[in-house]
Amino acid sequence: MHSRGLSPDTLLSVRLGAICSRNCYTTDPAPVVSELLATAGDRHDILAEAVGSWVGYYEDAYTRILSTALRELPGLEPWIALGQYRRAMPDPSTRGYAKPPGVR
């Protein structure tokens, strides 16, 4: 692991997620899938994790075209489930947090 910055695997995962997010409303997913495959190269494990968790978290009526195409990639199912789990978690909250005396 590098002492500074992100590891190459993490950077690849970030790039793959960014490709999905940048193209989430596409009506033509084929170029997006091609870009993802080219970017991932032989790292199918990172592709499955990044794309699967993205689909699980962001899939809705607006992203359905891209999400449906991405679901055709192999190995996404466990990562889709993880993305769905993360999406279902409640938003972080500070309710019940006691403010220090003198703070409004």
Side-chain angles (χ1 to χ4, degrees):
M1 178 161 188
H2 299 292
S3 59
R4 296 180 154 224
L6 301 174
S7 72
D9 290 354
T10 301
L11 285 172
L12 177 56
S13 181
V14 169
R15 284 188 191 109
L16 295 170
I19 292 167
C20 292
S21 292
R22 185 177 70 238
N23 295 285
C24 66
Y25 305 121
T26 188
T27 57
D28 182 12
V32 181
V33 172
S34 294
E35 183 180 1
L36 288 166
L37 293 171
T39 301
D42 64 351
R43 294 307 309 265
H44 304 284
D45 55 332
I46 296 175
L47 176 69
E49 181 178 353
V51 172
S53 58
W54 187 92
V55 169
Y57 193 89
Y58 291 106
E59 185 173 38
D60 63 12
Y62 300 107
T63 64
R64 184 83 57 220
I65 293 172
L66 179 59
S67 296
T68 300
L70 295 177
R71 282 178 169 273
E72 297 298 317
L73 296 171
L76 270 58
E77 285 308 315
W79 300 109
I80 290 172
L82 178 63
Q84 291 168 336
Y85 170 79
R86 289 176 176 166
R87 182 64 175 192
M89 294 180 74
D91 292 331
S93 173
T94 57
R95 283 180 280 178
Y97 173 74
K99 293 181 182 178
V103 175
R104 293 182 174 204

